[in-house]
């Protein structure tokens, strides 16, 4: 668990090269509000650590009962609620002139969705399982058909389950190996605290037992009567694994494993062969794995290799051995080792796929007779298939220079068929079955865009931007072929850069609402991700974190230097830890950007990393540093934390979002940031905060409700950029935009 947020479609600006624009109140402009913005009261508070005194006048926005608020938003104090609702009202008023545009964008993006879309059925013995949507439906239906049959059985109707709820999302939905039961975990308030229920598929009834306070992961044992699950502790950390027997009282469930270190999270899964239940304990740099035989679920969990600081590993199994993906022994870009099933300690590990610097091994997928590994080389993913009979290898090839590739974990182990998904910035998602023996592929499905999409209308490119220290930062971009390349086009620059999370150059229909209005859409593959290998991640964390922000700025400057846009025409967009990125970057180089869109931004880094009660703080000290114990870590974080570095300078227009029940980036971080920005900045550009009072980190759960959130951000970007009319970029530029 971390602050990852799905890479939503990104948004954009209009202003002059100085970074100044229209006023929040009392000045003419499309985003002007006829009322004064909310002013958060200042309540003096001093925090002293390492002999340094820090003022935090907006600390009161952190509710003392924040744990209760996450599960019951009505418990929020009236003073905090009044401020958040005042900000929401100000945003609504300030964005009122864009309501027609928002509606247009919503309908446009909805028209690109196949409303009755369906996943490709995944075979598992007597049945094939899939999910689909109904026309007008917000949530998926989980279904199956008998193998070779065409009669559908709806196992779980998400729309029906969501009736009467302000929020609803299914985290996992797993059928038992004998196909008799369905276990599913649902979140009904956005806090990511799940309730697990089990449905009897023969009778269609739900079993009486209900498991609360769960993390969401579910793993069935092979008897079809036993399931494993993870629970959250008081600080919302996944810390315990329990075993449940169907028909029994969850209060009597057996504790399988309890993690004693608050800095470690628990993960749960099943190997491809279904021989082992996997229990992992991990932070961001260290991990260890325990296994339980899926045929003997009552056995104790067996530790394979004890945790060793800085060593990560994950396991699968094949034949008489475990397969271990690890960075042990200095394998910075990871390798694959093997060890006997009855002796998988570190001393028994033998290299199967040796470490090769620059080739980051991302994951492995084991079949009875094949091993598939997903790698990234020079920022581009590739899949390598190994036939275990003779050790021969081959790579699955693709034509485009930048693309997204994912391996799908199916239910079948004894098969020669690999399923994968492929897309690019211009190519819709394609699902393939690949015959590993014949080395041939079959296209099963291509994402349908009902309103139409012609890839030949668009151009995608990839180039390297030189950062402050000479590092070359990959930048992927896509534009309409008619977009002028004279510097007049507005450009949205998206970035993330944390936790080793790489941003794929994949397809999204929403962003074409910007591209078709003259925007260039770009992704900066900054340090802090693994886009160029694990070393790329290490160079963007802890004491090297500022590389992430400087890389992003360098990418923007390179886009200007290449004549694709100009200074003050770039919209910086990031979500969660990507919100930290854009928040820090706009503090450092405000005039470069024409606008900022920060979704659930992690901007109060120093305060959060000093608050060990918060869900993610101890597990994330290896990512950011521990400022409580380490004075140098304190100084490093204090030097870049966006909230602590708001300055008396002009800022571009900014739109910020938050989720009241968000356990990853708590609502008060963006609220405090906006309050301080409003008090300190010297411009009168629009500054809006929109808090979803009934949702958490990922925003609205329904697919159409989510489009409304995207439409708000797009309307902000287009209006500030002067591109809301859809005029060609050169026309807007000539008009003074």
């Amino acid at each position: 668990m971390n602050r990852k947020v799905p890479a939503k479609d990104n948004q954009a600006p209009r202003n002059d090269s100085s970074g100044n624009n229209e006023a929040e109140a009392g000045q003419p402009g499309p985003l002007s509000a006829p009322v004064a913005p909310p002013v958060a009261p200042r309540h003096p508070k001093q925090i002293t650590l390492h002999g340094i005194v820090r003022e935090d006048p907006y600390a009161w926005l952190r509710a003392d009962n924040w744990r209760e608020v996450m599960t019951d938003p009505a418990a929020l104090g009236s003073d905090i609620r009044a401020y958040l609702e005042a900000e929401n009202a100000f945003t609504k008023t300030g964005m009122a002139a864009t309501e027609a545009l928002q509606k247009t964008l919503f309908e446009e993006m909805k028209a690109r969705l196949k409303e009755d879309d369906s996943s490709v059925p995944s075979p598992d013995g007597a049945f094939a399982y899939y999910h689909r949507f109904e026309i007008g439906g917000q949530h998926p239906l989980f279904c199956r058909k008998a193998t070779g049959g065409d009669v559908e059985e709806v196992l779980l109707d998400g729309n029906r389950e969501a009736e009467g709820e302000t929020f609803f999302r299914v985290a996992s939905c797993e059928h038992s190996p004998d196909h008799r039961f369905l276990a599913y975990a649902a979140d009904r308030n956005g806090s990511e605290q799940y309730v697990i229920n089990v449905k009897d598929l023969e009778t269609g009834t739900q079993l009486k037992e209900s498991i609360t306070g769960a993390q969401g992961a579910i793993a069935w044992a092979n008897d079809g009567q036993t399931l494993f699950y993870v629970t959250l502790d008081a600080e919302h950390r996944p810390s315990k694994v329990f075993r449940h027997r169907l028909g029994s009282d969850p209060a009597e469930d057996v504790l399988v494993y309890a993690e004693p270190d608050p800095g470690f999270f628990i993960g749960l899964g099943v190997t491809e062969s279904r021989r082992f239940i996997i229990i992992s304990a991990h932070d961001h740099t260290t991990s260890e794995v325990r296994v339980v035989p899926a045929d003997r679920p009552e056995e104790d969990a067996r530790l394979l290799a004890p945790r060793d600081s800085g060593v990560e590993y994950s396991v699968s199994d094949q034949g008489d051995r475990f397969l271990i993906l690890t960075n042990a022994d200095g394998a910075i870009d990871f390798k694959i080792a093997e060890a006997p099933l009855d002796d998988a300690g570190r001393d028994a590990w033998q290299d199967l796929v040796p470490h090769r610097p620059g080739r980051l091994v991302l994951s492995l997928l084991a079949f009875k007779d094949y091993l598939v590994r997903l790698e990234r080389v020079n920022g581009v993913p590739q899949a390598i298939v190994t036939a275990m009979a003779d050790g021969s290898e081959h790579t699955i090839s693709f034509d485009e220079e930048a693309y997204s590739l994912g391996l799908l974990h199916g239910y079948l182990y004894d098969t020669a068929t690999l399923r994968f998904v492929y897309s690019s910035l211009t190519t819709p998602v394609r699902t393939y079955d690949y015959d590993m023996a014949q080395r041939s592929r079959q296209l099963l499905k291509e994402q349908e865009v009902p309103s139409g999409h012609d890839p030949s209308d668009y151009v995608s490119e990839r180039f390297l931007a030189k950062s402050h220290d000479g590092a070359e930062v990959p930048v992927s971009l896509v534009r309409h072929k008619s977009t002028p390349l004279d510097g007049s086009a507005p450009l949205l620059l998206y970035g993330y850069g944390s936790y080793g999370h790489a941003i794929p150059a994949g397809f999204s229909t929403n962003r074409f609402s910007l591209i078709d209005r003259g925007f260039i859409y770009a992704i900066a593959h900054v340090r802090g991700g693994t886009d160029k290998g694990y070393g790329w991640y290490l160079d963007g964390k802890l004491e090297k974190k500022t590389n992430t922000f400087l890389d992003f700025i360098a990418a923007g400057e390179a886009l200007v230097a290449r004549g694709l846009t100009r200074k003050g025409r770039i919209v910086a967009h990031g979500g969660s830890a990507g919100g930290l990125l854009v928040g820090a970057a706009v503090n450092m180089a405000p005039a470069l950007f024409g606008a900022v869109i920060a979704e659930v931004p992690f901007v109060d880094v120093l305060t959060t990393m000093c608050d060990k009660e918060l869900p993610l703080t101890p597990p994330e000290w290896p990512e950011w540093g521990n400022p409580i114990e380490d004075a140098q870590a304190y100084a490093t974080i204090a030097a870049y934390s966006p909230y602590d570095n708001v300055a008396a300078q002009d800022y571009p227009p900014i739109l910020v979002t938050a989720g009241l029940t968000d356990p990853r980036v708590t609502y008060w971080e963006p609220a405090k940031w906006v309050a301080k920005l409003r008090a300190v900045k010297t411009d009168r550009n629009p500054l809006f905060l929109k808090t979803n009072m009934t949702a958490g980190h990922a925003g609205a759960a329904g697919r159409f409700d989510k489009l409304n959130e995207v439409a708000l951000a797009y309307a902000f970007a287009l209006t500030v950029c002067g591109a809301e009319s859809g005029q060609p970029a050169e026309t807007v530029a000539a008009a003074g935009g």
Side-chain angles (χ1 to χ4, degrees), residues 221-277:
N222 288 338
D223 61 6
Q225 295 290 315
T226 305
L227 59 87
F228 293 77
Y229 62 92
V230 180
T231 60
L232 303 170
D233 64 13
E235 273 66 50
H236 205 283
R237 298 170 189 140
S239 61
K240 294 180 179 179
V241 177
F242 285 90
R243 184 176 72 237
H244 176 74
R245 183 77 176 175
L246 297 188
S248 66
D249 183 349
E252 300 173 355
D253 287 352
V254 177
L255 177 64
V256 178
Y257 176 69
E259 173 54 48
D261 188 336
F264 275 65
F265 280 0
I266 299 299
L268 181 67
V270 181
T271 61
E272 297 92 327
S273 69
R274 292 206 57 88
R275 285 195 292 177
F276 295 98
I277 308 293

Coordinates of all heavy atoms in Angstrom, one line a residue, residues 221-277:
A221 N -8.3 -21.6 -0.2 CA -7.6 -22.8 -0.2 C -8.3 -23.8 -1.2 O -9.4 -23.5 -1.6 CB -7.7 -23.4 1.2
N222 N -7.7 -24.9 -1.5 CA -8.2 -25.8 -2.5 C -9.4 -26.6 -2.1 O -10.1 -27.2 -2.9 CB -7.1 -26.7 -3.0 CG -6.1 -26.0 -3.9 OD1 -6.4 -24.9 -4.4 ND2 -4.9 -26.5 -3.9
D223 N -9.7 -26.6 -0.8 CA -10.9 -27.4 -0.4 C -12.2 -26.6 -0.6 O -13.3 -27.2 -0.5 CB -10.8 -27.7 1.1 CG -10.7 -26.4 2.0 OD1 -10.9 -25.3 1.5 OD2 -10.5 -26.6 3.2
G224 N -12.1 -25.4 -1.1 CA -13.3 -24.6 -1.4 C -14.1 -24.2 -0.2 O -15.2 -23.7 -0.3
Q225 N -13.6 -24.5 1.0 CA -14.3 -24.2 2.3 C -13.5 -23.2 3.2 O -14.0 -22.7 4.1 CB -14.5 -25.5 3.1 CG -15.5 -26.4 2.4 CD -16.9 -25.9 2.4 OE1 -17.4 -25.4 3.4 NE2 -17.6 -26.1 1.3
T226 N -12.3 -23.0 2.8 CA -11.4 -22.1 3.6 C -10.9 -21.0 2.8 O -10.4 -21.1 1.7 CB -10.2 -23.0 4.1 OG1 -10.6 -24.1 4.8 CG2 -9.3 -22.1 5.0
L227 N -11.0 -19.8 3.4 CA -10.4 -18.6 2.7 C -9.5 -17.8 3.7 O -9.8 -17.8 4.9 CB -11.5 -17.7 2.1 CG -12.6 -17.1 2.9 CD1 -12.1 -15.8 3.5 CD2 -13.8 -16.9 2.0
F228 N -8.5 -17.2 3.2 CA -7.6 -16.4 3.9 C -7.9 -14.9 3.6 O -8.3 -14.6 2.4 CB -6.1 -16.7 3.5 CG -5.7 -18.1 4.0 CD1 -6.1 -19.2 3.2 CD2 -4.9 -18.3 5.1 CE1 -5.7 -20.5 3.6 CE2 -4.5 -19.5 5.4 CZ -4.9 -20.6 4.7
Y229 N -7.7 -14.0 4.6 CA -7.9 -12.6 4.3 C -7.0 -11.8 5.3 O -6.4 -12.3 6.2 CB -9.4 -12.3 4.6 CG -9.9 -12.5 6.0 CD1 -9.9 -11.5 6.9 CD2 -10.4 -13.7 6.3 CE1 -10.3 -11.7 8.2 CE2 -10.9 -14.0 7.6 CZ -10.9 -13.0 8.5 OH -11.3 -13.2 9.8
V230 N -6.9 -10.5 5.0 CA -6.0 -9.6 5.7 C -6.9 -8.6 6.4 O -7.8 -8.1 5.9 CB -5.0 -8.9 4.8 CG1 -4.1 -8.0 5.6 CG2 -4.2 -9.9 4.0
T231 N -6.5 -8.2 7.7 CA -7.3 -7.2 8.4 C -6.4 -6.0 8.6 O -5.2 -6.1 8.6 CB -7.8 -7.7 9.8 OG1 -6.7 -8.1 10.6 CG2 -8.8 -8.9 9.6
L232 N -7.0 -4.9 8.9 CA -6.4 -3.6 9.1 C -6.3 -3.3 10.6 O -7.2 -3.7 11.4 CB -7.1 -2.4 8.5 CG -7.4 -2.6 7.0 CD1 -8.3 -1.5 6.5 CD2 -6.0 -2.4 6.2
D233 N -5.2 -2.7 11.1 CA -5.1 -2.4 12.5 C -5.7 -1.0 12.7 O -6.3 -0.4 11.8 CB -3.7 -2.4 13.0 CG -2.8 -1.4 12.3 OD1 -3.3 -0.5 11.7 OD2 -1.5 -1.5 12.4
A234 N -5.6 -0.4 13.9 CA -6.2 0.8 14.3 C -5.7 2.0 13.4 O -6.4 3.0 13.3 CB -6.0 1.1 15.8
E235 N -4.5 1.8 12.9 CA -3.9 2.9 12.1 C -4.1 2.6 10.6 O -3.4 3.1 9.7 CB -2.4 3.0 12.3 CG -2.1 4.0 13.5 CD -2.6 3.4 14.8 OE1 -2.3 2.2 15.1 OE2 -3.3 4.2 15.5
H236 N -5.0 1.7 10.3 CA -5.4 1.4 8.9 C -4.3 0.7 8.1 O -4.2 0.7 6.9 CB -5.8 2.7 8.2 CG -6.7 2.4 7.0 ND1 -6.3 1.9 5.8 CD2 -8.1 2.6 6.9 CE1 -7.3 1.8 5.0 NE2 -8.4 2.2 5.6
R237 N -3.4 -0.1 8.8 CA -2.4 -0.8 8.2 C -2.7 -2.3 8.1 O -3.1 -2.9 9.1 CB -1.1 -0.6 9.0 CG -0.6 0.8 9.0 CD 0.6 1.0 10.0 NE 0.8 2.4 10.2 CZ 1.1 3.0 11.4 NH1 1.2 2.2 12.4 NH2 1.3 4.3 11.4
P238 N -2.6 -2.9 6.9 CA -2.8 -4.3 6.8 C -1.7 -5.1 7.6 O -0.6 -5.1 7.2 CB -2.7 -4.6 5.3 CG -1.9 -3.5 4.7 CD -2.2 -2.3 5.6
S239 N -2.2 -5.7 8.7 CA -1.2 -6.3 9.6 C -1.4 -7.7 10.1 O -0.5 -8.3 10.6 CB -1.2 -5.4 10.9 OG -2.4 -5.4 11.5
K240 N -2.5 -8.3 9.8 CA -2.8 -9.7 10.2 C -3.5 -10.5 9.1 O -4.3 -10.0 8.4 CB -3.7 -9.7 11.5 CG -3.0 -9.1 12.7 CD -4.0 -9.1 13.9 CE -3.3 -8.5 15.1 NZ -4.2 -8.6 16.3
V241 N -3.1 -11.8 9.1 CA -3.8 -12.7 8.1 C -4.6 -13.7 9.0 O -4.0 -14.3 9.9 CB -2.8 -13.5 7.3 CG1 -3.5 -14.5 6.4 CG2 -2.0 -12.5 6.4
F242 N -5.8 -13.9 8.6 CA -6.7 -14.9 9.3 C -7.2 -15.9 8.3 O -7.2 -15.7 7.1 CB -7.9 -14.1 9.9 CG -7.6 -13.3 11.1 CD1 -7.3 -12.0 11.0 CD2 -7.7 -13.9 12.4 CE1 -7.0 -11.3 12.2 CE2 -7.5 -13.2 13.5 CZ -7.1 -11.9 13.4
R243 N -7.6 -17.1 8.9 CA -8.1 -18.2 8.1 C -9.6 -18.4 8.6 O -9.9 -18.5 9.8 CB -7.3 -19.4 8.4 CG -7.8 -20.6 7.6 CD -6.9 -21.8 7.8 NE -7.1 -22.5 9.1 CZ -6.1 -22.6 10.0 NH1 -4.9 -22.2 9.8 NH2 -6.4 -23.2 11.2
H244 N -10.5 -18.4 7.6 CA -11.9 -18.5 7.9 C -12.5 -19.8 7.3 O -12.2 -20.1 6.1 CB -12.7 -17.3 7.3 CG -14.2 -17.4 7.5 ND1 -14.8 -17.2 8.7 CD2 -15.2 -17.7 6.6 CE1 -16.1 -17.4 8.6 NE2 -16.3 -17.6 7.3
R245 N -13.3 -20.5 8.0 CA -14.0 -21.7 7.6 C -15.4 -21.3 7.3 O -16.1 -20.7 8.2 CB -13.9 -22.8 8.6 CG -14.5 -24.1 8.2 CD -13.6 -24.9 7.3 NE -14.2 -26.2 7.0 CZ -13.6 -27.0 6.1 NH1 -12.5 -26.7 5.5 NH2 -14.2 -28.2 5.8
L246 N -15.9 -21.6 6.1 CA -17.3 -21.2 5.8 C -18.2 -21.8 6.8 O -18.1 -23.0 7.2 CB -17.6 -21.7 4.4 CG -16.8 -21.1 3.2 CD1 -17.4 -21.5 1.9 CD2 -16.8 -19.6 3.3
G247 N -19.2 -21.0 7.1 CA -20.2 -21.4 8.1 C -19.9 -21.1 9.5 O -20.7 -21.3 10.4
S248 N -18.6 -20.7 9.8 CA -18.2 -20.4 11.2 C -18.3 -18.9 11.5 O -18.5 -18.1 10.6 CB -16.8 -20.9 11.4 OG -15.9 -20.1 10.6
D249 N -18.3 -18.6 12.7 CA -18.3 -17.2 13.2 C -16.9 -16.6 12.9 O -15.9 -17.1 13.4 CB -18.6 -17.2 14.7 CG -18.8 -15.8 15.2 OD1 -18.4 -14.8 14.5 OD2 -19.2 -15.6 16.4
P250 N -16.9 -15.4 12.2 CA -15.6 -14.8 12.0 C -14.8 -14.5 13.2 O -13.6 -14.4 13.2 CB -16.0 -13.5 11.2 CG -17.2 -13.9 10.5 CD -18.0 -14.8 11.5
A251 N -15.5 -14.3 14.3 CA -14.9 -14.0 15.6 C -14.0 -15.2 16.0 O -13.1 -15.0 16.9 CB -15.9 -13.7 16.7
E252 N -14.2 -16.4 15.5 CA -13.5 -17.5 15.9 C -12.4 -17.9 14.8 O -11.7 -18.9 14.9 CB -14.4 -18.7 16.0 CG -15.5 -18.5 17.1 CD -16.5 -19.6 17.1 OE1 -16.4 -20.5 16.2 OE2 -17.3 -19.6 18.0
D253 N -12.2 -17.0 13.8 CA -11.2 -17.2 12.8 C -9.8 -17.4 13.4 O -9.5 -16.7 14.4 CB -11.2 -16.1 11.7 CG -12.5 -16.2 10.9 OD1 -13.2 -17.2 11.0 OD2 -12.7 -15.3 10.1
V254 N -9.0 -18.2 12.7 CA -7.6 -18.5 13.2 C -6.6 -17.5 12.7 O -6.6 -17.2 11.5 CB -7.2 -19.9 12.8 CG1 -5.8 -20.2 13.2 CG2 -8.2 -20.9 13.4
L255 N -5.9 -16.9 13.6 CA -4.8 -16.0 13.2 C -3.6 -16.8 12.6 O -3.1 -17.7 13.3 CB -4.3 -15.2 14.4 CG -3.1 -14.3 14.2 CD1 -3.5 -13.1 13.2 CD2 -2.6 -13.7 15.5
V256 N -3.3 -16.5 11.4 CA -2.3 -17.2 10.7 C -0.9 -16.5 10.8 O 0.1 -17.1 11.0 CB -2.6 -17.4 9.2 CG1 -1.5 -18.1 8.4 CG2 -3.9 -18.1 9.0
Y257 N -1.0 -15.2 10.7 CA 0.3 -14.4 10.8 C -0.1 -13.0 11.3 O -1.0 -12.4 10.8 CB 1.0 -14.4 9.5 CG 2.3 -13.5 9.6 CD1 3.4 -13.9 10.4 CD2 2.3 -12.3 8.9 CE1 4.5 -13.1 10.5 CE2 3.5 -11.4 9.0 CZ 4.5 -11.9 9.8 OH 5.6 -11.1 9.9
A258 N 0.7 -12.4 12.2 CA 0.6 -11.0 12.7 C 1.9 -10.4 12.5 O 3.0 -10.9 13.0 CB 0.2 -11.0 14.1
E259 N 2.0 -9.2 11.8 CA 3.2 -8.5 11.5 C 3.5 -7.6 12.7 O 2.7 -6.7 13.0 CB 3.1 -7.7 10.2 CG 4.2 -6.8 10.0 CD 5.6 -7.5 10.0 OE1 5.7 -8.5 9.4 OE2 6.5 -6.9 10.7
P260 N 4.6 -7.8 13.4 CA 4.9 -7.0 14.6 C 5.4 -5.6 14.3 O 5.4 -4.7 15.1 CB 6.0 -7.8 15.3 CG 6.7 -8.5 14.2 CD 5.6 -8.8 13.2
D261 N 6.0 -5.4 13.1 CA 6.6 -4.1 12.7 C 5.6 -3.2 12.0 O 5.1 -3.5 11.0 CB 7.8 -4.4 11.8 CG 8.6 -3.1 11.5 OD1 8.1 -2.0 11.7 OD2 9.8 -3.3 11.1
P262 N 5.3 -2.0 12.6 CA 4.3 -1.1 12.0 C 4.8 -0.5 10.7 O 4.0 0.0 9.9 CB 4.1 0.0 13.0 CG 5.4 0.0 13.8 CD 5.8 -1.5 13.9
G263 N 6.1 -0.7 10.4 CA 6.6 -0.2 9.1 C 6.4 -1.2 8.0 O 6.8 -0.9 6.8
F264 N 5.9 -2.4 8.2 CA 5.7 -3.5 7.2 C 4.2 -3.7 7.0 O 3.4 -3.7 7.9 CB 6.3 -4.8 7.6 CG 7.8 -4.9 7.3 CD1 8.7 -4.0 7.9 CD2 8.2 -5.8 6.3 CE1 10.1 -4.1 7.6 CE2 9.6 -5.8 6.0 CZ 10.5 -5.0 6.6
F265 N 3.8 -3.9 5.7 CA 2.5 -4.2 5.3 C 2.4 -5.7 4.9 O 3.4 -6.3 4.5 CB 2.0 -3.3 4.1 CG 1.6 -1.9 4.5 CD1 1.6 -1.5 5.8 CD2 1.2 -1.1 3.5 CE1 1.2 -0.2 6.1 CE2 0.8 0.2 3.8 CZ 0.8 0.6 5.2
I266 N 1.2 -6.2 4.9 CA 1.0 -7.6 4.6 C 0.3 -7.7 3.2 O -0.6 -6.9 2.9 CB 0.0 -8.3 5.6 CG1 0.7 -8.3 7.0 CG2 -0.3 -9.7 5.2 CD1 2.0 -9.0 7.0
G267 N 0.8 -8.6 2.4 CA 0.1 -8.9 1.1 C -0.3 -10.4 1.1 O 0.2 -11.2 1.9
L268 N -1.2 -10.7 0.2 CA -1.8 -12.1 0.2 C -2.1 -12.5 -1.2 O -2.5 -11.7 -2.0 CB -3.1 -12.1 1.0 CG -3.9 -13.4 1.1 CD1 -3.1 -14.4 2.0 CD2 -5.2 -13.2 1.8
G269 N -1.8 -13.7 -1.6 CA -2.0 -14.2 -2.9 C -1.9 -15.7 -3.0 O -1.8 -16.4 -2.0
V270 N -2.0 -16.2 -4.3 CA -1.9 -17.6 -4.5 C -1.0 -17.8 -5.7 O -1.0 -17.0 -6.7 CB -3.3 -18.2 -4.9 CG1 -3.2 -19.7 -5.2 CG2 -4.3 -17.9 -3.8
T271 N -0.1 -18.8 -5.7 CA 0.8 -19.0 -6.9 C 0.0 -19.5 -8.0 O -1.2 -20.0 -7.9 CB 1.9 -20.0 -6.5 OG1 1.3 -21.3 -6.1 CG2 2.7 -19.5 -5.4
E272 N 0.6 -19.4 -9.2 CA -0.1 -19.8 -10.5 C -0.6 -21.3 -10.5 O -1.6 -21.6 -11.0 CB 0.8 -19.5 -11.7 CG 1.1 -18.1 -11.9 CD 2.4 -17.6 -11.2 OE1 2.7 -18.2 -10.1 OE2 3.1 -16.8 -11.7
S273 N 0.2 -22.1 -9.8 CA -0.1 -23.5 -9.8 C -1.2 -23.8 -8.8 O -1.7 -25.0 -8.7 CB 1.1 -24.3 -9.4 OG 1.5 -24.1 -8.0
R274 N -1.6 -22.9 -7.9 CA -2.5 -23.0 -6.8 C -2.0 -24.0 -5.8 O -2.8 -24.5 -5.0 CB -3.9 -23.4 -7.3 CG -4.6 -22.4 -8.2 CD -6.1 -22.5 -8.1 NE -6.6 -22.5 -6.7 CZ -6.9 -21.4 -6.0 NH1 -6.9 -20.2 -6.7 NH2 -7.3 -21.4 -4.8
R275 N -0.8 -24.2 -5.7 CA -0.2 -25.1 -4.7 C 0.0 -24.4 -3.4 O 0.1 -25.0 -2.3 CB 1.0 -25.8 -5.1 CG 0.8 -26.9 -6.1 CD 2.0 -27.8 -6.3 NE 3.1 -27.1 -6.9 CZ 4.3 -27.6 -7.1 NH1 4.6 -28.8 -6.7 NH2 5.3 -26.9 -7.7
F276 N 0.2 -23.0 -3.4 CA 0.6 -22.3 -2.2 C -0.2 -21.0 -2.1 O -0.4 -20.3 -3.0 CB 2.1 -22.0 -2.2 CG 3.0 -23.2 -2.2 CD1 3.5 -23.7 -3.4 CD2 3.3 -23.8 -1.0 CE1 4.4 -24.8 -3.3 CE2 4.1 -25.0 -1.0 CZ 4.6 -25.5 -2.1
I277 N -0.6 -20.8 -0.8 CA -1.1 -19.5 -0.4 C 0.2 -18.7 -0.1 O 1.0 -19.1 0.7 CB -2.0 -19.5 0.8 CG1 -3.1 -20.5 0.6 CG2 -2.5 -18.1 1.2 CD1 -4.1 -20.2 -0.5

